[in-house]
Amino acid sequence: MNHINKIEHLGIAVKDIEQANTIYEQLLGVAPYKQEAVESEAVVTSFFKVGESKIELLGSTSEDGPIGKFIAKKGEGIHHIAFAVDDIEKELDRLEKEGFNIINKTPKRGADNKLVAFVHPKSTNGVLVELCQDIN
Ligand code: ZN
């Protein structure tokens, strides 16, 4: 079994989700296949399929939420890389033993029917890393 299967999606923080939907629909030539709010994260998401991978647009519903804070600090842009894993608990254990700074020791329910957990950018050269496992 692989540790990390593939890049599942790239998360992009945007100020205006409707405007970003239009731009990415023009860019990719497809409409988002899903739009979903994750209230616990104060975020609205849109997902586009690009071959085997996906683009996740992240709009904030609150300036105090993680995406609102990210945009205030860094502006719009790539927010995280998400890797697909088969067994998120096992991968979190492995990465913690390797010395990575795990933000969510217990995976939580994310958008697009996934269990997700994040690895702090301090331990990954400045890139927020998401692990995600499909919920079946
Ligand atoms: Zn994501």
Side-chain angles (χ1 to χ4, degrees):
M1 194 171 87
N2 293 326
H3 293 300
I4 303 270
N5 294 326
K6 63 172 184 179
I7 293 177
E8 216 279 334
H9 63 268
L10 296 177
I12 300 175
V14 303
K15 281 185 183 157
D16 179 337
I17 192 90
E18 294 309 326
Q19 184 246 22
N21 279 339
T22 304
I23 288 176
Y24 277 81
E25 189 167 336
Q26 286 169 338
L27 177 72
L28 301 169
V30 288
Y33 70 89
K34 182 185 267 191
Q35 297 191 62
E36 188 180 349
V38 183
E39 278 170 31
S40 59
E41 299 292 305
V43 81
V44 282
T45 63
S46 298
F47 286 89
F48 294 81
K49 278 208 167 75
V50 190
E52 286 227 324
S53 302
K54 296 166 189 165
I55 299 287
E56 174 185 31
L57 301 181
L58 301 148
S60 187
T61 57
S62 158
E63 285 178 14
D64 297 328
I67 297 300
K69 283 183 187 161
F70 177 89
I71 289 174
K73 207 166 151 189
K74 300 196 168 177
E76 293 183 296
I78 292 188
H79 176 260
H80 63 270
I81 299 180
F83 295 107
V85 299
D86 294 321
D87 185 338
I88 194 167
E89 310 258 359
K90 206 168 144 192
E91 278 307 287
L92 286 172
D93 261 10
R94 181 180 74 86
L95 294 178
E96 189 165 28
K97 283 185 188 122
E98 297 280 6
F100 289 93
N101 180 344
I102 310 297
I103 297 174
N104 313 101
K105 302 213 171 168
T106 306
K108 55 187 181 171
R109 208 188 166 94
D112 202 28
N113 222 25
K114 304 261 192 282
L115 274 179
V116 304
F118 288 90
V119 181
H120 199 284
K122 269 182 195 157
S123 59
T124 47
N125 302 79
V127 177
L128 178 63
V129 168
E130 174 183 344
L131 301 182
C132 58
Q133 178 188 339
D134 282 322
I135 299 171
N136 293 312

